[in-house]
C-alpha cells in the first residue's frame, strides 16, 4: 500500500539531558531515527519528509552516511526553524505534500521499534473506515506520561496531554501512541486551526483529533514496540527489548547463544546455522558469520565477514573491513583491521594485523605486529602488508609495511622485517646472539661493592 510519511524529529529532547540530538541516540548500534527511516524505506513510502531542527547538520550527516544514494532520493529534510510543537512540526511539510494523493502517515523519530505491520494495519483501518484521521492507541500503565484518549459514549472526542489532564482524566489508560494516518488535504487544512493555549505553549498535533469531524482510534494490544524514547531509562529499556527480540530470532534460526543476556547482535548482522556465541560477544554493524563458527568470550566483531568453521577469540577484536575465510583460527588478544585472512590460517595469540592480505595456511606467531602506520611521514594512508600462502611468521616479529612476504617464506622469530621476503626464503632479521662462557661469576666479582 503506497503512502507518504512525515517523521517528526526536531524536538530538543530535553528529557535525555544530553548535548546529542535525541534521535541520534542509538539502539542496537543504530540511531533511533535511522531505525525508522530504514523501515519506511523498506515499505512503499513514496515520500519521507523528516522534520529536523536541533543539531540538524549532525542528524542529516549521520543518516546520509548510512543511506545509499538511491535511498537518499526518497528522503526529504525539512527544517522546522523553531520547534514550536508537534503540530507546528508537521505543518512544515505542507508544501512538500501539496497535491499528494496517497494517505499520509505521521510518526515520531523516537519510536525505533515500530514495525511495518503497525503502519499497514493503521493504513488499512483508515482506508476501510474512511474517517478524516485514524490514530493508534494502547492501554498502558497509569504512570505513563502519554496523551489520554478522551471518549464520550465510546466515541473519541480528543487527545489530552497528560500535563493538561484533570486527576480523573489521568486515570484513563487508553493512551495516544503518536502514530497517525490522514490525507495531506485534511491535515494541512486542519493544522492552521490548532492553537497553543496549553501549559507548554506549543502547537500540538494531537489537537487534530479534536478538530477532525470524523476520527477513528485503533487500539493495539501489544504496543511495546511503539513506545517512544524520551529518557535515558527509556533508551536502556528499549535496547533490552530489541536485543532480546534479535537474540530470540537467531536462536530460532539455529544459532547457539550460551548467555543471551550478554550477547549483543546488531540488527543488520547475519549469522549462519550452528554458529556458537559464547558470553560477552558483540557483533556490530553489517557483520556476517557463516555456519559452524565459534565466537568465543569477550570478542568484538564489527563490519566484517567471517567464514565457516572458524574459531575467533576469546578476547579478539575484529575491526571493520576484515574478510576471514573458512577454518581460520584467531586467538586471544588478537586485533585485525581491514585484513583478509586466507583459509586455514592462524593467528593464535597477542597480535595486530592491519591492512594486510594474508594467504592460506599461514601461521602468524605470537606477538606479531604489522607496522602499517609511519606517523604520516611517507605514506598518506596506512601501508599494506601482503603475505602469500604457506608462510610462517615466527613469534614477536614486526612487519614494517609496505611489505611483501612471498609464498612459502619463513620468518624467524624476533625479526624486524623491512624488505621483501622472496618465495621459499628464510629471513632472519635480528641481532646475533653473543654468548660469553663462564662470564657471570667474574662479572659479579668485579662489580662487587666495596663499601
Ligand atoms: C507525544 C504526543 C503524546 C503521545 C506521545 C507518544 C504531542 C503533543 N504529544 O508526546 O500525545 O502520547 O507522543 O509517544 O504530540 N518534535 C518536533 N518538533 C517540535 C516538537 C517535537 O519535531 O516542535 C518531535 C520530537 O523530536 C519527537 C516527536 O516530535 O520525535 C514527539 O515529541 P515529544 O516531545 O517526544 O512528544 P511526547 O511528549 O512524547
Ligand atoms: Ca516522545
Amino acid at each position: 500500500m503506497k503512502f507518504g510519511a512525515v517523521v517528526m524529529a526536531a524536538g530538543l529532547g530535553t528529557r535525555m539531558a544530553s548535548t546529542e540530538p535525541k534521535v541520534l541516540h542509538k539502539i542496537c548500534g543504530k540511531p533511533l531515527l535511522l531505525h525508522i527511516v530504514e523501515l519506511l524505506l523498506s515499505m512503499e513510502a513514496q515520500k519521507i519528509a523528516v522534520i529536523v531542527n536541533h543539531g540538524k547538520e549532525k542528524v542529516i550527516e549521520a543518516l546520509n552516511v548510512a543511506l545509499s544514494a538511491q535511498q537518499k532520493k526518497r528522503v526529504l529534510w525539512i527544517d522546522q526553524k523553531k520547534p514550536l510543537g508537534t503540530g507546528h512540526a508537521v505543518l512544515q511539510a505542507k508544501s512538500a505534500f501539496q497535491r499528494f494523493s496517497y494517505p499520509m502517515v505521521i510518526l515520531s523519530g523516537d519510536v525505533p521499534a515500530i514495525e511495518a505491520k503497525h503502519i499497514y494495519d493503521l493504513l488499512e483501518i483508515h482506508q476501510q473506515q474512511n474517517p478524516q484521521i485514524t490514530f493508534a492507541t494502547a492501554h498502558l500503565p497509569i504512570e505513563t506520561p502519554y496523551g489520554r484518549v478522551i471518549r464520550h459514549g465510546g466515541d473519541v472526542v480528543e487527545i489530552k496531554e497528560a500535563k493538561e489532564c484533570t486527576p480523573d482524566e489521568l486515570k484513563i489508560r487508553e493512551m495516544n501512541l503518536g502514530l497517525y494516518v490522514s490525507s495531506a488535504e485534511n491535515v494541512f487544512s486542519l493544522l492552521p486551526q490548532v492553537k497553543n493555549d496549553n501549559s507548554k505553549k506549543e502547537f500540538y498535533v494531537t489537537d487534530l483529533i479534536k478538530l477532525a469531524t470524523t476520527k477513528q482510534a485503533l487500539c493495539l494490544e501489544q504496543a511495546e514496540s511503539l513506545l517512544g524514547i524520551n529518557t535515558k531509562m527509556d533508551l536502556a529499556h528499549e535496547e533490552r527489548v530489541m536485543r532480546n527480540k534479535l537474540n530470540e530470532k537467531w536462536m530460532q534460526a539455529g544459532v547457539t547463544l550460551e548467555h543471551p543476556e550478554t550477547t549483543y547482535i546488531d540488527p543488520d548482522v547475519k549469522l549462519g546455522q550452528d554458529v556458537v556465541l559464547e558470553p560477552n560477544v558483540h557483533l556490530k554493524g553489517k557483520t556476517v558469520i557463516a555456519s559452524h563458527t565459534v565466537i568465543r568470550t569477550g570478542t568484538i566483531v564489527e563490519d566484517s565477514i567471517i567464514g565457516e568453521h572458524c574459531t575467533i577469540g576469546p578476547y579478539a577484536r575484529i575491526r571493520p573491513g576484515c574478510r576471514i575465510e573458512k577454518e581460520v583460527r584467531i586467538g586471544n588478544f588478537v586485533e585485525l583491521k581491514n585484513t583478509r585472512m586466507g583459509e586455514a590460517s592462524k593467528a593464535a595469540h597477542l597480535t595486530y594485523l592491519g591492512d594486510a592480505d594474508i594467504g592460506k595456511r599461514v601461521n602468524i606467531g605470537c606477538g606479531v605486529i604489522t607496522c602499517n602506520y609511519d606517523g604520516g611521514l611517507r605514506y598518506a594512508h596506512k601501508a599494506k602488508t601482503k603475505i602469500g600462502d604457506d608462510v610462517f611468521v615466527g613469534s614477536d616479529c614486526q612487519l614494517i609495511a609496505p611489505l611483501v612476504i612471498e609464498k612459502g617464506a619463513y620468518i624467524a622469530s624476533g625479526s624486524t622485517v623491512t624488505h621483501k621476503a622472496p618465495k621459499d626464503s628464510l629471513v632472519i632479521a635480528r641481532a646475533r646472539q653473543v654468548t660469553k662462557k663462564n662470564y657471570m661469576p667474574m662479572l659479579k666479582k668485579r662489580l662487587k661493592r666495596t663499601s
Side-chain angles (χ1 to χ4, degrees):
M1 199 185 295
K2 290 182 180 166
F3 65 97
V6 178
V7 184
M8 301 175 284
L12 285 164
T14 320
R15 289 164 282 180
M16 294 298 269
S18 170
T19 54
E20 196 65 7
K22 170 161 88 172
V23 289
L24 287 190
H25 282 76
K26 289 177 180 169
I27 278 197
C28 296
K30 196 180 268 200
L32 303 181
L33 183 60
L34 186 57
H35 280 281
I36 291 159
V37 170
E38 278 185 349
L39 171 74
L40 294 169
L41 284 166
S42 75
M43 301 172 68
E44 287 179 87
Q46 304 299 299
K47 188 180 276 193
I48 303 166
V50 187
I51 315 298
V52 284
N53 170 264
H54 183 66
K56 64 170 191 289
E57 292 83 10
K58 247 180 149 175
V59 174
I60 296 172
E61 165 72 14
L63 265 82
N64 276 345
V65 165
L67 300 177
S68 70
Q70 206 57 37
Q71 290 176 319
K72 275 184 242 180
K73 281 189 202 151
R74 286 166 65 198
V75 181
L76 198 75
W77 298 98
I78 297 176
D79 188 356
Q80 183 190 6
K81 296 204 170 64
K82 264 195 182 150
L84 299 177
T86 47
H88 181 258
V90 175
L91 192 57
Q92 309 311 304
K94 184 175 176 178
S95 55
F97 282 88
Q98 233 155 32
R99 285 185 292 277
F100 187 79
S101 55
Y102 299 111
M104 199 172 89
V105 174
I106 301 170
L107 72 170
S108 292
D110 64 359
V111 279
I114 186 169
E115 292 166 37
K117 69 167 176 345
H118 298 128
I119 294 173
Y120 282 137
D121 281 357
L122 204 67
L123 281 163
E124 205 165 296
I125 289 284
H126 184 73
Q127 215 162 40
Q128 279 168 13
Q129 314 265 331
N130 202 28
Q132 282 190 323
I133 186 162
T134 306
F135 65 107
T137 69
H139 288 98
L140 298 171
I142 206 84
E143 59 277 6
T144 316
Y146 282 13
R148 276 17 187 204
V149 180
I150 312 289
R151 289 176 182 265
H152 284 172
D155 293 334
V156 176
V157 178
E158 63 175 321
I159 297 171
K160 254 183 149 177
E161 289 309 293
K163 274 202 174 132
E164 326 290 337
C165 283
T166 63
D168 268 350
E169 286 166 339
L170 274 179
K171 289 182 194 144
I172 297 171
R173 290 192 44 209
E174 189 187 3
M175 299 188 205
N176 170 33
L177 291 172
L179 175 63
Y180 319 84
V181 176
S182 185
S183 66
E185 200 188 330
N186 279 328
V187 169
F188 297 114
S189 65
L190 292 175
L191 272 180
Q193 300 170 46
V194 170
K195 297 193 179 66
N196 67 346
D197 51 356
N198 49 56
S199 63
K200 285 174 87 181
K201 295 277 169 289
E202 285 189 357
F203 298 92
Y204 293 158
V205 75
T206 44
D207 282 356
L208 284 180
I209 308 303
K210 184 169 59 188
L211 293 167
T213 43
T214 51
K215 44 220 152 190
Q216 176 75 36
L218 173 65
C219 189
L220 300 170
E221 303 226 322
Q222 293 205 315
E224 202 171 37
S225 51
L226 276 159
L227 300 188
I229 310 282
N230 294 322
T231 64
K232 291 271 163 85
M233 285 76 79
D234 294 341
L235 191 73
H237 174 77
E238 200 54 57
E239 168 96 19
R240 271 194 299 274
V241 171
M242 198 181 279
R243 290 244 175 253
N244 264 341
K245 256 193 208 161
L246 287 164
N247 286 353
E248 276 169 21
K249 173 184 103 176
W250 288 117
M251 289 189 272
Q252 265 154 10
V255 174
T256 301
L257 272 61
E258 289 187 356
H259 192 237
E261 294 79 357
T262 60
T263 306
Y264 305 85
I265 308 171
D266 281 359
D268 297 331
V269 169
K270 294 196 169 62
L271 303 174
Q273 201 176 22
D274 289 314
V275 161
V276 176
L277 305 178
E278 289 189 0
N280 254 315
V281 160
H282 295 247
L283 305 178
K284 297 170 179 260
K286 294 192 175 0
T287 289
V288 179
I289 297 176
S291 320
H292 301 284
T293 280
V294 180
I295 310 290
R296 304 202 50 199
T297 297
T299 294
I300 304 170
V301 185
E302 183 169 3
D303 289 323
S304 289
I305 298 171
I306 300 181
E308 53 190 45
H309 293 283
C310 292
T311 304
I312 314 290
Y315 306 104
R317 180 169 176 217
I318 314 297
R319 291 168 56 199
C322 292
R323 191 155 61 80
I324 294 173
E325 292 171 7
K326 65 178 179 185
E327 289 158 34
V328 163
R329 218 180 103 208
I330 305 283
N332 41 257
F333 307 108
V334 173
E335 174 181 344
L336 261 70
K337 188 213 76 185
N338 194 25
T339 283
R340 175 183 80 102
M341 201 69 182
E343 193 179 317
S345 287
K346 283 184 233 164
H349 346 254
L350 301 162
T351 286
Y352 170 64
L353 300 168
D355 303 288
D357 183 60
I358 299 169
K360 298 179 181 175
R361 299 171 301 278
V362 169
N363 180 84
I364 304 286
C366 176
V368 171
I369 301 163
T370 52
C371 308
N372 57 343
Y373 183 53
D374 69 353
L377 279 181
R378 284 176 65 191
Y379 306 102
H381 303 289
K382 304 282 166 77
K384 292 256 175 212
T385 301
K386 196 168 167 27
I387 300 178
D389 295 345
D390 301 298
V391 162
F392 181 94
V393 181
S395 292
D396 193 28
C397 287
Q398 296 92 56
L399 310 176
I400 313 251
L403 182 69
V404 176
I405 299 177
E406 289 184 349
K407 190 172 168 23
Y410 191 105
I411 313 294
S413 285
S415 291
T416 300
V417 187
T418 52
H419 292 84
K420 172 172 165 174
K423 180 167 179 277
D424 294 329
S425 58
L426 168 66
V427 171
I428 309 173
R430 63 191 185 208
R432 260 187 193 282
Q433 183 168 328
V434 178
T435 308
K436 299 187 178 183
K437 279 192 179 153
N438 296 321
Y439 191 79
M440 283 315 293
M442 190 189 71
L443 182 67
K444 280 182 185 165
K445 210 163 138 192
R446 205 173 78 201
L447 298 181
K448 195 163 185 181
R449 282 198 248 160
T450 44
S451 60

